[in-house]
Structure formats: C-alpha cells, structure tokens
Amino acid sequence: MQIIEKQELEQILVEHKKWLLTRRSETVEGKRADLSHTDLAKADLAYADLRYADFTGADLTGTNLTGANLRNANFTGANLREINFRYADLKQADFTGADLTGANLTGANLLGVNFTNAVLEHANLSNANLSYAILEHANLSNANLSYAVLKHVDLTGASLRGASLRSLSLREADMRGKDLDFCAIPLSCGSLRWKIDRRLAVQFLYHFCSFECDDKEIQAAQNSLLALANEFHRVKECGELKAKPEGN
C-alpha cells in the first residue's frame, strides 16, 4: 500500500484537473489521477473534482469526500469503511467488491453505480438516488435506505436483512431471491406489486397468519393458509402456527 504525502496528493489533484480540462482536446495536458492501492485513510477531499479517478484497491477508511464529483471513478476492491460520500456525485462509479461498511452516502447521486459484490452493511443511503444501479449480490444488511430512490435497480442475490426501507419507493420491484429477514418494510404504495418467490410469499403468509383478528372471514382465511405459512424458513425459531377457533 503506497502512502501519499499531502503535497504529493495536492499535485496529483492539480494534474488531474488539467487532464479533465484537456482530455477531449488534441493536446492533452496533465495526468489522470491514479490513486490505486494508495493509503488515503482519513484524507480530506471534500468537494474535490475526481471524475474518472482510479481508486482500485485503495484504503479510504474514514476519508471525507463530501460533495465531491466522482462520476465514473473506479473504486473496485477499495476499503471504504466509514467513508463520507454525503451528497457526492458518484454517477456510474464502479464499486465492485468494495467494502463500504458504515459508509455515509446520504443524498448521494448513485445513478447507474455498480455495487456488484460490494459490502454496504450499516451504510447510510437515505435520500440517495440509486436508479439503474447494479446491486447484484451486494450485502445491504442493516443499511438505511429510507427515502432512497431505487428505480430499475438490479437486486439479484442481494441481502437486505435488517435494512430500513421506510418511505422507499420499490413499487413493482423484483424481490425474488432477496433476504428480507428483520427488514423494516413500509405498508405504503411504494411496496405494492412486488415480484416475489415462494420463500418470501411463505414468509409474508406466516406473518399474516400470526395476527390475532376477531373477524370470522379473516380467521378462516388464516386457517386455510396455515400449511403454507408453516413452511416459513424460521418456523423452528418462531414456532409452528396452530389453527384459530373461528368466530372467537
């Protein structure tokens, strides 16, 4: 891991700015920032313009990138634990295999970002725009996704265990194969018409059948679904549901 001194980092930023301004011209000046495999832990890069920069395998633990422009930046395999990306522009950045445990992504622009196999445990993604993002096999356990936008997101194989989905718009989302254990799912229009698999359907049925309701028709419906509901994958932990005396 290469250690970058403050003066050297400042020069890299100057050269990167020149490169950004001339990269489409006939005479390219400066140099694209290559910060791969460098130690930038706890550095202050707030509001920096680091579009297209390469952070592959870098250590940015606790680094401050508040409001930074990081469009198309490469963070593949980087250590981004506790990083501050608050209100940063990360459109189409690549976080494949990166560790963003505890990262602050509040209000960030994550349009089209690639989070394949990324770890986002306990990350704060509230009010972030994740439209068209790829979260394939990402770990979002206990992440805060309150008020986030997940339009046309790929959540194939992702874990949302314990995540907060309050006021999240996931209408018509494909939730098949997702782990939603301990997940806070809002009873709002934003969670209507999900595509779900049998495992999730049984999980929702178990919760429905566990409710105590004095309506005779509801009790009859619950009893008719008990066999399915008791297929719940945590039935041994939560207990097998029994038929309710209808009308009581």
Side-chain angles (χ1 to χ4, degrees), residues 44-237:
D44 188 358
L45 294 167
Y47 304 102
D49 189 348
L50 283 161
R51 286 170 290 163
Y52 300 97
D54 187 2
F55 296 95
T56 302
D59 182 1
L60 289 97
T61 305
T63 298
N64 182 15
L65 281 157
T66 300
N69 190 342
L70 293 153
R71 290 192 173 202
N72 298 285
N74 187 357
F75 292 95
T76 301
N79 182 358
L80 308 172
R81 297 172 69 91
E82 306 293 337
I83 195 168
N84 190 351
F85 278 132
R86 193 166 180 263
Y87 297 112
D89 188 350
L90 291 152
K91 182 179 178 180
Q92 295 183 327
D94 191 350
F95 289 94
T96 302
D99 185 354
L100 292 108
T101 301
N104 186 354
L105 291 144
T106 304
N109 179 12
L110 302 170
L111 184 70
V113 166
N114 187 354
F115 282 117
T116 301
N117 293 315
V119 179
L120 288 146
E121 286 189 83
H122 298 281
N124 188 350
L125 293 144
S126 59
N127 293 290
N129 181 6
L130 286 141
S131 298
Y132 298 96
I134 302 171
L135 287 152
E136 189 172 347
H137 300 292
N139 185 351
L140 289 150
S141 299
N142 300 297
N144 182 1
L145 289 155
S146 301
Y147 300 97
V149 179
L150 276 78
K151 185 178 180 181
H152 301 295
V153 168
D154 182 358
L155 286 160
T156 304
S159 173
L160 290 160
R161 186 183 181 93
S164 174
L165 307 179
R166 188 164 65 93
S167 297
L168 174 69
S169 179
L170 276 167
R171 192 182 180 97
E172 299 182 22
D174 188 348
M175 305 301 284
R176 291 173 291 190
K178 312 302 181 293
D179 182 357
L180 299 181
D181 284 5
F182 306 103
C183 193
I185 300 171
L187 292 175
S188 67
C189 295
S191 56
L192 292 176
R193 301 189 180 91
W194 282 3
K195 297 181 182 69
I196 60 175
D197 53 21
R198 185 184 181 92
R199 182 178 184 273
L200 276 180
V202 165
Q203 186 168 3
F204 292 140
L205 284 176
Y206 183 91
H207 282 271
F208 168 67
C209 290
S210 72
F211 297 149
E212 295 294 333
C213 179
D214 59 7
D215 184 271
K216 186 175 181 179
E217 291 182 340
I218 297 299
Q219 291 173 343
Q222 289 175 313
N223 288 339
S224 69
L225 294 166
L226 278 181
L228 274 174
N230 282 322
E231 291 181 16
F232 179 36
H233 60 279
R234 294 179 56 221
V235 71
K236 289 184 178 179
E237 175 186 348

Side-chain angles (χ1 to χ4, degrees), residues 14-45:
V14 169
E15 293 299 311
H16 186 70
K17 184 176 181 179
K18 292 178 183 177
W19 178 81
L20 286 172
L21 291 171
T22 63
R23 66 189 181 89
R24 296 181 185 274
S25 62
E26 292 183 4
T27 305
V28 179
E29 299 180 13
K31 183 181 179 182
R32 176 189 174 194
D34 183 358
L35 294 161
S36 58
H37 305 289
T38 57
D39 184 354
L40 293 168
K42 298 184 178 180
D44 188 358
L45 294 167

